[in-house]
Amino acid sequence: MARITIRIDDDLYARLVRQARGAGVGTASYCRDILDRFDGADPTGYHARFDELHATVIQAFAILATSVGERSPELLQKGLVEARRLLRDRGLLEAGEDRP
């Protein structure tokens, strides 16, 4: 098994130790578990929760966009323009993707 050495500040280390004790495992095991969850190896961990959240948000926005689009296509277009601006401002939309 490979080994790594990292330096972390004392407050973070103390928090890791407390959380590991609370989970009933050693600090190294606790850190490995965190890395597994963050890496996506744990199907119920960090990424799975965000995937679930993303799916819920996408469904809610699809329903909302459909409803607004049926009642007011112009309002939907204004909203899409604003959404693209917000995404672009946050670096989440590249110039080539900035099309309706």
Side-chain angles (χ1 to χ4, degrees), residues 94-99:
E94 294 184 21
E97 298 173 315
D98 195 8
R99 285 177 248 154

Side-chain angles (χ1 to χ4, degrees), residues 33-56:
D33 182 53
I34 290 171
L35 290 171
D36 279 343
R37 283 184 280 143
F38 183 77
D39 180 33
D42 176 2
T44 62
Y46 179 84
H47 291 287
R49 288 190 303 267
F50 279 109
D51 288 346
E52 194 173 297
L53 179 62
H54 288 149
T56 302

Side-chain angles (χ1 to χ4, degrees), residues 17-42:
V17 169
R18 268 194 318 276
Q19 291 172 343
R21 284 183 185 149
V25 297
T27 307
S29 293
Y30 186 76
C31 290
R32 275 191 298 275
D33 182 53
I34 290 171
L35 290 171
D36 279 343
R37 283 184 280 143
F38 183 77
D39 180 33
D42 176 2

